[in-house]
Amino acid sequence: MSYGVTGTTLRVMTHFPPPAMELRLLDAELRQLDARRAQLLHRRAWLLTMTQPVRSAPVPPPLPFAPPRREATAPGVQNLLLLLGGILLTLAATAFTLVSWGSMGIAGRALVLGAVTVAALGTPVALLRRGLRSTAESIAGIGLVLTVLDAYALHEVAFADADGALFAAAATTVLAALWAVYGIGTAALPNPAGARPADSTAPGTAPASPTLSLPLPAALVVAQLTLVLWVIAAGGGKHTITAAVLLTAVIDMMIALRAVPKAVRVVAVGGALAMGGWGVLATGLISLIAAGPGAAARAAALLALAAAGAFGAAWLVPGPALRTASATVGGLLVVAALGGLLRVPLPFDWTVLGYLACGIGLLALVRGRLPEPVRRGLGLASAVVQAVALLWTLPAVVTTLFGPLAWVSRIWSGAPDDARTAATVDIGWPAHQSTVPLALMAVAAVLAGTVRNATWRPRALAGALTLTWLTATIVPATLQLPYAMSLLTQALVAVALLLLTHRTATVLALLASLCLTTLSLASQTATLAVLASLTALLAMAAWRGRLPRVTVVFSLGYATALACAVGASLAWQPQHAALLVLLVPVAAALLAARLTDPVTTVVVEVSGAVAGVLAIGLAGAELPMLALVLALCGVIVAGTAVRPERRNLGYVAAALFVLASWVRLGTWNVVDPEAYTLPVTVPALFVGALRRRRDPNATSWTAYGPGLAVTLAPSLLAAWTDPHWTRPLLLGTAALALTLLGARHRLQAPLVLGATTLALDALHELAPYLAQVVGALPRWAPPALAGLLLLAVGATYEQRIRDARRVREVLGRMN
């Protein structure tokens, strides 16, 4: 160190610490290095584990400790405890009042109940000042129950002999007023500064309102029966009581519209619905049982009161949906009131028409200057009335449409006297349904004349047309017109509907034709006339484009039924009537050949096929006739197969011809298989020859294989079991000729099939002699022959492979 360094400089220069301190520093550094080394070694071990293949599932690290989930909130527990405590105290007070009341004197009883009631009603006030609203609500509920017990005790002590209805009316009035004043009084209490709800856990919750939510709704609940009880106490009758109920509902509605507390509004809405529903039902029953004009007028006045309340709600309630619903209820009540007035002077059958007229009259208000929700509600009310009227007509409609089906089991049993008898074969005519046609026509007129919306107009016209058809169908049975007049009416309706171009009209015409057909089954003449007329009428409709795919099916179906009916009228057996039914497939085949629409063509052909199957079924009772019908069906199908797009039907025609020939052979007791197979083989070979002429690439197996196999296989099986020599000889001759033809024309199928058949047939014929030769040989001969054969095969293996290849090439050139 230089001597020029001063002492001050030496004091600020860095110097080595003392040995003890330096040792501590070194130990600390070493500990840090050991900790870092341990951390690095742990990381290295983990990396080695991750890079090696997984041999076992790793043990998951332990999850951190989590406190158990709480299933109930503090406010919920608090409210449950308060509610349970209030219920227990209420039960105790009730038991004390009802059981232990007689053991105390009048002063003690009054003192106890009064003190408890005052304490129960005063304690919530103090609790509200402290912000304990939930506790205050529970104790206030106990206080309200105690006031009811006070009223009961007062009746038992001082008014035991008083009129029960009068005391109940007075008690409910006083209680409702007391509870209302109590609830309003608590609302006037000052809000404590900084007070918060006892059940609030959020730190930013606003101060609680000191108002109790229980007294005002409870007062409104008690007040529901106040007016009704005063009317009962005054000796009012059912009309006055019902008026009181309806007036209570109106008051509830006004309170619901004006009340600020939500609980009061909820109770008011519930009271309005409950009391209003009760009043409307009672008024409706009074209107229905009213026996005179006076009673009907009083019931109408009550319904008018209810309607006024509903229309008032329609003007005052918020929201278009509620206004529409209220207007709908009001419109229905107006209809009930006016209909009840008309019900008394009108006959019973005209009652529904009276209500329907009132419902239709509501539509006059729909076009007025009323608000849109109100007009929509009136329209819905009118629609509901008309729908109910249509439901009332269902018994007569169902009887008229489905009653004639009973004639299916009583066909041609005799024409009935009138249309009602024809419609009610097994059932009776519904009572009080004489005005059903008028109701149907009224609703149809409304649909056709009032619906102007572009979307709903087509549907309304379709509905009106349907109701008009139902009216025309029901009128003959309703008026008990003659049976012939009923048939004529139905026929004219079907014709009129087919003249219209609307699709609905065509569908209704088809339904009318079905009704007319079932109705005509009572008489033979009517059945024939109706089926013939409908066949021609629907054929004309199909030609004019009235749903041709459907009307043509109905036309062919009625033609089939007509053929069966004609056969039955001529007393023909079913197998003979089948020949008449075959006229329908013929007509269908001729018609399908002239159609251009592929779907309609398929529909016509399927309808003809169904008629053909029916003809086959009818002819099944007699085998010769069945053979004839099958052959005729084959002719029809073959004629259809002439068309280029129906070439595949040729196979069906061939199958029908074969079946016809087999049935005929069966009737002749023919058991030889060639008689059944040759009729298949000959046309099959002919078709195969035509195909090879048109398609030179077609193989002989495709052209001739199926036809030859049909005869050769059954004949060969029969020859092997035939003890005579005639069939094997003929089969062998035919197989030889077939083999020579195949060799001459180099056709593989005839050559192989003929040679195989000839070989097997020869083997069958030479089998006895071979058996004798084998029996004459010594036992060592067969093994020796087998050995020689194997040697010969092994020696000439290459030559025979070359010969086999040459034969394969020759056979290949044949085709």
Side-chain angles (χ1 to χ4, degrees), residues 10-178:
L10 289 174
R11 286 194 295 269
V12 300
M13 289 179 65
T14 302
H15 58 275
F16 290 101
M21 182 180 295
E22 185 177 1
L23 182 61
R24 288 196 297 271
L25 292 176
L26 291 176
D27 291 339
E29 291 291 338
L30 289 173
R31 285 195 298 270
Q32 292 179 359
L33 290 175
D34 290 338
R36 180 60 178 169
R37 184 173 182 275
Q39 182 180 4
L40 294 176
L41 289 175
H42 179 72
R43 181 66 178 175
R44 180 178 180 275
W46 181 83
L47 291 174
L48 289 176
T49 303
M50 295 300 296
T51 55
Q52 292 177 358
V54 179
R55 296 184 180 180
S56 61
V59 179
L63 297 176
F65 174 76
R69 184 174 60 89
R70 297 180 179 180
E71 298 182 352
T73 61
V77 174
Q78 166 197 301
N79 294 333
L80 177 61
L81 294 176
L82 292 175
L83 178 61
L84 182 59
I87 293 174
L88 293 177
L89 288 176
T90 302
L91 293 177
T94 305
F96 171 78
T97 304
L98 298 178
V99 178
S100 302
W101 183 257
S103 62
M104 301 180 64
I106 184 64
R109 287 177 285 184
L111 181 61
V112 171
L113 271 181
V116 174
T117 303
V118 171
L121 293 177
T123 302
V125 177
L127 294 175
L128 287 174
R129 294 182 183 278
R130 295 179 176 272
L132 303 176
R133 185 170 178 269
S134 298
T135 308
E137 288 283 1
S138 300
I139 299 178
I142 299 173
L144 298 181
V145 175
L146 288 175
T147 57
V148 177
L149 296 176
D150 289 338
Y152 169 76
L154 183 63
H155 176 268
E156 292 296 325
V157 174
F159 299 99
D161 298 331
D163 181 65
L166 180 62
F167 183 83
T172 54
T173 304
V174 172
L175 288 176
L178 178 63

Side-chain angles (χ1 to χ4, degrees), residues 238-239 283 285-303 337 340-341 343-344:
K238 57 183 179 181
H239 293 84
T283 307
L285 292 176
I286 292 173
S287 178
L288 290 176
I289 65 176
R298 289 192 294 272
L302 293 176
L303 289 172
L341 291 175
R343 184 187 62 81
V344 176

Side-chain angles (χ1 to χ4, degrees), residues 364-748:
L365 302 176
V366 175
R367 299 185 180 276
R369 297 183 179 181
L370 300 174
E372 175 63 23
V374 177
R375 290 190 287 111
R376 189 182 300 112
L378 292 175
L380 288 176
S382 178
V384 169
V385 174
Q386 296 177 59
V388 173
L390 292 179
L391 289 176
W392 170 72
T393 65
L394 280 181
V397 172
V398 172
T399 301
T400 305
L401 294 180
F402 299 100
L405 290 175
W407 289 109
V408 175
S409 60
R410 305 180 183 182
I411 188 170
W412 296 353
S413 59
D417 296 333
D418 52 51
R420 180 175 295 185
T421 306
T424 56
V425 182
D426 294 331
I427 56 177
W429 184 256
H432 309 296
Q433 297 275 293
S434 60
T435 57
V436 167
L438 296 177
L440 293 174
M441 282 305 300
V443 178
V446 170
L447 289 175
T450 60
V451 180
R452 301 297 181 185
N453 185 273
T455 303
W456 290 95
R457 179 67 176 172
R459 305 175 185 176
L461 291 178
L465 187 60
T466 303
L467 294 177
T468 304
W469 167 66
L470 290 176
T471 303
T473 304
I474 292 175
V475 164
T478 305
L479 301 180
Q480 294 183 326
L481 297 178
Y483 176 68
M485 182 65 68
S486 175
L487 294 176
L488 180 60
T489 303
Q490 296 277 13
L492 292 177
V493 168
V495 173
L497 290 172
L498 286 176
L499 292 177
L500 301 177
T501 58
H502 202 279
R503 294 173 62 91
T504 304
T506 305
V507 174
L508 293 176
L510 296 176
L511 295 177
S513 68
L514 292 175
C515 296
L516 179 59
T517 302
T518 57
L519 195 64
S520 67
L521 295 177
S523 172
Q524 175 180 329
T525 305
T527 302
L528 296 175
V530 166
L531 291 177
S533 302
L534 290 177
T535 300
L537 181 64
L538 293 176
M540 183 64 66
W543 179 69
R544 293 177 62 87
R546 303 289 192 271
L547 291 179
R549 299 174 182 177
V550 181
T551 51
V552 71
V553 174
F554 273 77
S555 178
L556 293 174
Y558 287 134
T560 305
L562 177 62
C564 296
V566 170
S569 65
L570 297 176
W572 287 4
Q573 295 296 324
Q575 59 269 22
H576 299 143
L579 297 176
L580 289 177
V581 177
L582 284 179
L583 295 176
V584 177
V586 173
L590 295 176
L591 178 62
R594 299 177 60 87
L595 295 175
T596 57
D597 182 24
V599 178
T600 307
T601 303
V602 172
V603 168
V604 170
E605 291 174 345
V606 170
S607 301
V610 171
V613 172
L614 176 61
I616 294 173
L618 292 175
E622 186 177 328
L623 292 181
M625 186 60 66
L626 177 60
L628 177 60
V629 170
L630 288 171
L632 293 176
C633 290
V635 172
I636 297 172
V637 176
T640 304
V642 174
R643 292 156 44 197
E645 69 276 10
R646 294 292 185 266
R647 295 296 188 192
N648 292 332
L649 291 179
Y651 300 104
V652 179
L656 290 173
F657 285 129
V658 170
L659 289 176
S661 63
W662 287 357
V663 171
R664 174 60 64 181
L665 292 173
T667 59
W668 292 340
N669 296 323
V670 176
V671 295
D672 294 328
E674 291 81 7
Y676 295 90
T677 57
L678 287 176
V680 179
T681 298
V682 172
L685 294 177
F686 178 73
V687 172
L690 292 178
R691 180 172 182 179
R692 280 185 56 83
R693 177 174 296 180
R694 295 181 180 181
D695 184 11
N697 294 325
T699 64
S700 62
W701 289 105
T702 304
Y704 305 120
L708 294 175
V710 167
T711 295
L712 293 177
S715 297
L716 183 60
L717 293 176
W720 273 71
T721 59
D722 193 350
H724 304 287
W725 58 272
T726 308
R727 176 178 281 111
L729 178 60
L730 295 176
L731 179 61
T733 303
L736 178 59
L738 187 62
T739 304
L740 295 176
L741 288 174
R744 172 67 178 80
H745 297 283
R746 296 183 179 180
L747 297 176
Q748 193 177 88

Side-chain angles (χ1 to χ4, degrees), residues 172-198:
T172 54
T173 304
V174 172
L175 288 176
L178 178 63
W179 293 356
V181 171
Y182 182 69
I184 296 173
T186 56
L189 294 176
N191 190 12
R196 293 184 180 179

